[in-house]
Amino acid sequence: MRRFTFLFLAVICSLLLSACGAGKPHKLVTFMVFGDPAEYDAYRQLVEAFSLEHPSIKVELIHVPSQSDYRARLGADLAAGSAADVVLINYRRYAQFAAAGALEPLGPYLAQSHVIAEHDFYPQAIEPFMWNGQLMCIPQNLSSLVIYYNKDLFTQAGVDFPQPGWTWDDFVQTAISLTKDTDGDGRTDQYGLGMEPSLIRLAPFLWQGGAELVDGDSSAMGQAEGSAPTRLMLDTPEALRVAEFFVSLSQKYHVVPTAEEEAAEDSESRFMNGRTAMYFNSRRGVPTYREITAFDWDVAGLPRDLQAASVLHSDAYCMPVTTDNKGTTWTFIEYANSIEGQTIIAGTGRTVPSLVAVAQSEAFLDPTVKPVSSQVFLDALPDIRALPVLPNWVDIEEIADEEIQRAFYGQTTVYEAMLSAIRRTSIYFGAGE
């Protein structure tokens, strides 16, 4: 009788342990992200929600705070075949890995999904992640570039808030009116504008001014034979006019910090500390800016010149080809890009959702949380453009950034900087494809 009782209990315990997975998930997915604490918290919430839906799958979140450190580790891990199962990659940076065969195409997985479909996403988010006719990664967001502005500083100065359709002249006059020496010591204490002098910041101004960034058909993302860009087009009359305007913000109007001041305290910190009235950024800053309590803030669309234009910022969930548990990994990527998953991330303020249904829902457009004018991000979508997707675009962009910075801070002329950018980047066009 005792032996029967022991066996009966053993069977019951075995069944219970089996049903509960013996207290340990038996499948593991590693997920590597970058960002500040507010961004990390967004992904932590996503992982926790996924775990409740899929208790048999454990997602290990790997956090690399620095974006530059993240990129270095991602490149090294992919080269070594030891990358995390799910990695976040910007559309400007994935091509080098796709060209090397390091990423698993996710189009076939999406085509078989009963949870999400390609037509659920904004095409502006999907198109940049198409490589040789295949969808390589699933985009989680599609932010435009916007202007974050300190409403209190505008009100104190009696300056109107940025309005839809405002022009470059309106923009400059606004920045001038908000650049102040508040203590009378002859030095600027409050700047009207904070903006990094880089190619991704210059690009929308180029398009607004009727210039092109590269030759060829940039919409082909450099993949169709005969249409791939072969050079930067920064030396055309249209581009030089725009670049002169861009640099004038620093060298003529002095509405941005000097190079020395920027090195001492970057413009984003100045904005958060209430000493910069306007700051250019994508949506990714929102979780951090929501922690601001000293002043009220909102977002506005970019000013326009000959036409309206903005530039795409988009990250996607990618799967390295070396991932062993591809089916399980897809389950997580699928969930992260489902309405439920994207709603979680949208609620943290981190993204402009790539799913149309979530972007147009209160999860993103909630008027009770900042920014109140989140509709600005969606209004910009018809005029949003992507930068070229090329295997060596990272190198091209880094070199161009160096030259733009030299002109922006008065270390060389605009003309010389643009010619130097073209010359120095020429070896990277067409290489590595």
Side-chain angles (χ1 to χ4, degrees):
M1 181 68 178
R2 288 180 180 175
R3 183 165 179 251
F4 175 82
T5 302
F6 174 80
L7 290 173
F8 175 79
L9 291 174
V11 169
I12 295 298
C13 287
S14 176
L15 290 173
L16 287 173
L17 288 172
S18 175
C20 298
K24 295 181 180 180
H26 61 272
K27 298 176 183 177
L28 175 67
V29 173
T30 52
F31 175 33
M32 191 168 79
V33 301
F34 64 88
D36 58 26
E39 288 184 85
Y40 170 73
D41 190 57
Y43 295 116
R44 183 187 56 78
Q45 292 179 46
L46 175 67
V47 168
E48 289 178 354
F50 174 80
S51 297
L52 292 175
E53 290 270 341
H54 301 273
S56 65
I57 302 174
K58 175 180 174 57
V59 177
E60 179 184 323
L61 194 58
I62 302 168
H63 181 225
V64 182
S66 165
Q67 190 169 160
S68 59
D69 290 345
Y70 176 90
R71 292 170 186 162
R73 175 168 174 177
L74 177 64
D77 288 353
L78 286 170
S82 58
D85 298 316
V86 182
V87 291
L88 280 171
I89 310 180
N90 189 275
Y91 78 95
R92 293 145 55 210
R93 301 179 181 277
Y94 86 92
Q96 58 185 310
F97 307 122
L103 299 179
E104 176 81 5
L106 295 184
Y109 294 85
L110 181 61
Q112 296 297 317
S113 175
H114 298 292
V115 178
I116 51 177
E118 184 174 323
H119 63 257
D120 296 332
F121 296 82
Y122 284 103
Q124 295 96 325
I126 289 288
E127 288 167 4
F129 288 99
M130 297 296 295
W131 181 260
N132 291 333
Q134 295 192 84
L135 181 63
M136 300 304 299
C137 307
I138 308 298
Q140 62 147 217
N141 63 74
L142 76 163
S143 177
S144 56
L145 181 64
V146 300
I147 295 177
Y148 292 81
Y149 66 97
N150 183 322
K151 297 176 71 173
D152 292 4
L153 292 183
F154 273 72
T155 301
Q156 292 164 16
V159 177
D160 292 337
F161 297 152
Q163 298 297 313
W166 65 325
T167 66
W168 284 7
D169 286 342
D170 299 329
F171 168 63
V172 169
Q173 290 305 313
T174 298
I176 291 172
S177 298
L178 292 163
T179 300
K180 297 179 179 295
D181 171 11
T182 58
D183 57 12
D185 67 352
R187 295 186 299 180
T188 301
D189 305 293
Q190 173 187 302
Y191 280 99
L193 178 64
M195 177 174 60
E196 66 181 33
S198 63
L199 193 62
I200 196 171
R201 295 292 182 261
L202 175 61
F205 286 95
L206 289 171
W207 297 326
Q208 290 168 15
E212 289 297 333
L213 180 58
V214 295
D215 66 344
D217 181 8
S218 61
S219 66
M221 300 303 162
Q223 298 166 52
E225 185 177 353
S227 68
T230 63
R231 68 186 293 265
L232 293 174
M233 295 289 284
L234 300 177
D235 57 346
T236 65
E238 296 83 1
L240 289 170
R241 179 184 75 87
V242 173
E244 288 283 2
F245 168 77
F246 189 81
V247 169
S248 74
L249 298 171
S250 171
Q251 295 303 301
K252 178 180 179 180
Y253 300 113
H254 308 291
V255 295
V256 297
T258 65
E260 294 75 20
E261 290 171 324
E262 188 71 24
E265 182 182 23
D266 64 78
S267 285
E268 184 170 32
S269 298
R270 287 176 185 271
F271 174 75
M272 294 183 65
N273 292 332
R275 296 195 302 279
T276 290
M278 297 183 288
Y279 180 65
F280 278 62
N281 202 0
S282 66
R283 182 74 183 192
R284 69 178 296 267
V286 168
T288 300
Y289 304 157
R290 282 181 178 174
E291 298 174 1
I292 297 171
T293 58
F295 61 86
D296 193 11
W297 59 273
D298 203 355
V299 295
L302 300 185
R304 61 177 296 159
D305 185 41
L306 303 180
Q307 59 193 7
S310 190
V311 62
L312 177 69
H313 292 70
S314 182
D315 305 300
Y317 298 98
C318 304
M319 184 194 304
V321 73
T322 53
T323 295
D324 291 328
N325 49 344
K326 290 183 172 63
T328 303
T329 297
W330 169 252
T331 299
F332 175 71
I333 293 175
E334 182 182 55
Y335 176 85
N337 281 295
S338 66
I339 289 179
E340 183 176 353
Q342 286 209 6
T343 296
I344 292 168
I345 299 296
T348 69
R350 168 63 179 83
T351 64
V352 179
S354 56
L355 284 178
V356 177
V358 181
Q360 296 181 358
S361 74
E362 191 170 301
F364 176 67
L365 298 173
D366 185 353
T368 66
V369 294
K370 295 178 183 178
V372 174
S373 303
S374 284
Q375 181 66 40
V376 164
F377 291 94
L378 303 186
D379 291 343
L381 293 182
D383 303 309
I384 204 168
R385 292 180 61 174
L387 294 173
V389 176
L390 299 169
N392 293 287
W393 184 253
V394 173
D395 301 295
I396 293 167
E397 195 170 319
E398 287 178 352
I399 290 171
D401 287 354
E402 291 175 5
E403 296 299 335
I404 291 168
Q405 289 166 18
R406 291 204 308 131
F408 197 78
Y409 292 124
Q411 297 162 3
T412 188
T413 67
V414 168
Y415 183 72
E416 290 297 330
M418 298 304 104
L419 288 186
S420 182
I422 293 169
R423 186 188 72 253
R424 293 179 59 200
T425 59
S426 63
I427 63 171
Y428 292 105
F429 282 93
E433 293 188 71

Coordinates of all heavy atoms in Angstrom, one line a residue, residues 196-232:
E196 N 22.6 68.4 -34.1 CA 23.9 67.9 -34.4 C 24.2 68.1 -35.9 O 23.3 68.0 -36.8 CB 24.0 66.3 -34.2 CG 23.1 65.5 -35.0 CD 23.1 64.0 -34.8 OE1 23.3 63.7 -33.6 OE2 22.9 63.2 -35.7
P197 N 25.4 68.6 -36.2 CA 25.8 68.8 -37.6 C 26.2 67.5 -38.3 O 27.3 67.0 -38.2 CB 27.0 69.8 -37.5 CG 27.6 69.5 -36.2 CD 26.5 69.0 -35.3
S198 N 25.2 66.8 -38.9 CA 25.4 65.5 -39.5 C 24.7 65.4 -40.8 O 23.8 66.2 -41.1 CB 25.0 64.4 -38.5 OG 23.6 64.5 -38.3
L199 N 25.0 64.3 -41.5 CA 24.3 64.1 -42.8 C 22.8 63.8 -42.6 O 22.0 64.3 -43.4 CB 25.0 62.9 -43.5 CG 24.6 62.8 -45.0 CD1 25.0 64.0 -45.8 CD2 25.3 61.5 -45.6
I200 N 22.4 63.1 -41.6 CA 21.0 62.7 -41.4 C 20.2 63.9 -41.0 O 19.0 64.0 -41.2 CB 20.9 61.6 -40.4 CG1 19.5 61.0 -40.6 CG2 21.2 62.0 -39.0 CD1 19.2 59.7 -39.8
R201 N 20.9 65.0 -40.5 CA 20.2 66.2 -40.1 C 20.2 67.2 -41.3 O 19.2 67.9 -41.6 CB 20.9 66.9 -39.0 CG 20.8 66.1 -37.6 CD 19.4 66.1 -37.1 NE 19.3 65.4 -35.8 CZ 18.9 64.1 -35.7 NH1 18.6 63.4 -36.7 NH2 18.9 63.6 -34.5
L202 N 21.2 67.1 -42.1 CA 21.3 68.0 -43.3 C 20.3 67.4 -44.4 O 19.7 68.2 -45.2 CB 22.7 68.0 -43.9 CG 22.9 68.7 -45.2 CD1 22.5 70.2 -45.1 CD2 24.4 68.6 -45.7
A203 N 20.1 66.1 -44.5 CA 19.4 65.5 -45.6 C 18.0 66.1 -45.8 O 17.7 66.5 -47.0 CB 19.3 64.0 -45.4
P204 N 17.2 66.2 -44.8 CA 15.8 66.8 -45.1 C 15.9 68.2 -45.6 O 15.0 68.6 -46.4 CB 15.1 66.7 -43.7 CG 16.2 66.6 -42.7 CD 17.3 65.9 -43.4
F205 N 16.8 69.0 -45.1 CA 17.0 70.3 -45.7 C 17.3 70.3 -47.2 O 16.9 71.1 -47.9 CB 18.0 71.1 -44.9 CG 17.6 71.5 -43.5 CD1 17.9 70.7 -42.4 CD2 16.8 72.7 -43.3 CE1 17.5 71.1 -41.1 CE2 16.4 73.1 -42.0 CZ 16.7 72.3 -40.9
L206 N 18.2 69.4 -47.5 CA 18.6 69.2 -49.0 C 17.3 68.9 -49.8 O 17.1 69.6 -50.8 CB 19.6 68.1 -49.1 CG 21.0 68.3 -48.6 CD1 21.8 67.0 -48.7 CD2 21.7 69.4 -49.4
W207 N 16.5 68.0 -49.3 CA 15.3 67.6 -50.1 C 14.3 68.8 -50.1 O 13.7 69.0 -51.1 CB 14.7 66.4 -49.5 CG 15.6 65.2 -49.6 CD1 16.5 64.9 -50.6 CD2 15.7 64.1 -48.6 NE1 17.1 63.7 -50.3 CE2 16.7 63.2 -49.1 CE3 15.1 63.8 -47.4 CZ2 17.1 62.1 -48.4 CZ3 15.5 62.7 -46.7 CH2 16.4 61.8 -47.2
Q208 N 14.2 69.5 -49.0 CA 13.3 70.7 -49.0 C 13.7 71.7 -50.0 O 12.9 72.4 -50.6 CB 13.3 71.3 -47.5 CG 12.6 70.4 -46.5 CD 12.9 70.9 -45.1 OE1 13.3 72.0 -44.9 NE2 12.6 70.1 -44.1
G209 N 15.0 71.9 -50.1 CA 15.6 72.9 -51.0 C 15.7 72.4 -52.5 O 16.3 73.1 -53.3
G210 N 15.2 71.3 -52.8 CA 15.2 70.8 -54.2 C 16.5 70.1 -54.6 O 16.7 69.9 -55.8
A211 N 17.3 69.8 -53.6 CA 18.6 69.1 -53.9 C 18.4 67.6 -53.7 O 17.5 67.2 -53.0 CB 19.7 69.7 -53.1
E212 N 19.4 66.8 -54.2 CA 19.4 65.4 -53.9 C 20.7 65.1 -53.2 O 21.7 65.7 -53.3 CB 19.4 64.6 -55.2 CG 18.0 64.7 -56.0 CD 16.9 64.0 -55.2 OE1 17.2 63.1 -54.3 OE2 15.8 64.4 -55.4
L213 N 20.6 64.0 -52.4 CA 21.7 63.6 -51.5 C 22.7 62.8 -52.4 O 23.9 62.9 -52.2 CB 21.2 62.8 -50.4 CG 22.3 62.3 -49.4 CD1 23.1 63.4 -48.8 CD2 21.6 61.5 -48.3
V214 N 22.2 61.9 -53.2 CA 23.0 61.0 -54.0 C 22.5 61.0 -55.5 O 21.4 61.5 -55.7 CB 23.1 59.6 -53.5 CG1 23.7 59.5 -52.2 CG2 21.6 59.0 -53.4
D215 N 23.3 60.6 -56.4 CA 22.8 60.4 -57.8 C 22.1 59.1 -57.9 O 22.0 58.3 -56.9 CB 24.0 60.5 -58.8 CG 25.0 59.4 -58.6 OD1 24.9 58.6 -57.6 OD2 25.8 59.2 -59.5
G216 N 21.7 58.8 -59.1 CA 21.0 57.5 -59.3 C 19.6 57.6 -58.6 O 19.1 58.6 -58.3
D217 N 19.0 56.4 -58.5 CA 17.7 56.3 -57.9 C 17.8 55.8 -56.5 O 17.9 54.6 -56.2 CB 16.8 55.3 -58.8 CG 15.4 55.1 -58.2 OD1 15.0 55.9 -57.3 OD2 14.7 54.2 -58.7
S218 N 17.8 56.8 -55.6 CA 17.9 56.4 -54.2 C 16.8 55.6 -53.7 O 16.9 54.8 -52.7 CB 18.1 57.7 -53.3 OG 16.9 58.5 -53.4
S219 N 15.6 55.7 -54.3 CA 14.5 54.9 -53.9 C 14.7 53.4 -54.1 O 14.0 52.5 -53.6 CB 13.2 55.3 -54.6 OG 13.3 55.0 -56.0
A220 N 15.7 53.1 -55.0 CA 16.0 51.7 -55.3 C 16.9 51.1 -54.2 O 17.2 49.9 -54.3 CB 16.6 51.5 -56.7
M221 N 17.3 51.9 -53.3 CA 18.1 51.5 -52.2 C 19.4 50.8 -52.6 O 20.0 50.0 -51.9 CB 17.3 50.4 -51.3 CG 16.0 51.0 -50.7 SD 16.3 52.4 -49.7 CE 14.7 53.1 -49.7
G222 N 19.9 51.3 -53.7 CA 21.2 50.8 -54.2 C 21.3 49.4 -54.6 O 22.4 48.8 -54.6
Q223 N 20.2 48.7 -54.8 CA 20.2 47.3 -55.1 C 19.9 46.9 -56.5 O 20.4 45.9 -57.0 CB 19.2 46.6 -54.2 CG 19.5 46.8 -52.7 CD 18.3 46.4 -51.8 OE1 17.8 45.3 -52.0 NE2 17.9 47.2 -51.0
A224 N 19.2 47.7 -57.2 CA 18.9 47.4 -58.6 C 20.0 47.7 -59.5 O 20.6 48.8 -59.4 CB 17.6 48.1 -59.0
E225 N 20.4 46.8 -60.3 CA 21.6 47.0 -61.2 C 21.3 48.3 -62.1 O 20.3 48.4 -62.7 CB 21.8 45.8 -62.1 CG 23.1 45.9 -62.9 CD 23.4 44.7 -63.7 OE1 22.7 43.7 -63.5 OE2 24.3 44.7 -64.5
G226 N 22.3 49.1 -62.1 CA 22.2 50.3 -63.0 C 21.6 51.5 -62.3 O 21.6 52.6 -62.8
S227 N 21.0 51.3 -61.1 CA 20.4 52.4 -60.4 C 21.1 52.8 -59.1 O 20.7 53.7 -58.5 CB 18.9 52.1 -60.1 OG 18.8 51.0 -59.1
A228 N 22.0 52.0 -58.7 CA 22.7 52.3 -57.4 C 23.4 53.6 -57.4 O 24.1 53.9 -58.4 CB 23.7 51.1 -57.1
P229 N 23.3 54.4 -56.4 CA 24.0 55.6 -56.3 C 25.6 55.4 -56.5 O 26.1 54.4 -56.0 CB 23.7 56.1 -54.9 CG 22.4 55.5 -54.5 CD 22.5 54.1 -55.2
T230 N 26.2 56.4 -57.1 CA 27.6 56.3 -57.3 C 28.4 57.4 -56.6 O 29.6 57.4 -56.6 CB 28.0 56.3 -58.8 OG1 27.6 57.6 -59.4 CG2 27.3 55.2 -59.5
R231 N 27.7 58.4 -56.1 CA 28.4 59.5 -55.4 C 27.4 60.4 -54.7 O 26.2 60.4 -54.9 CB 29.1 60.4 -56.5 CG 28.1 61.2 -57.4 CD 28.9 61.9 -58.5 NE 29.7 63.0 -58.0 CZ 29.3 64.3 -57.9 NH1 28.1 64.6 -58.3 NH2 30.2 65.2 -57.5
L232 N 27.9 61.1 -53.7 CA 27.2 62.2 -53.0 C 27.0 63.3 -54.0 O 27.9 63.6 -54.8 CB 27.9 62.7 -51.8 CG 28.0 61.7 -50.6 CD1 28.8 62.2 -49.5 CD2 26.6 61.3 -50.1

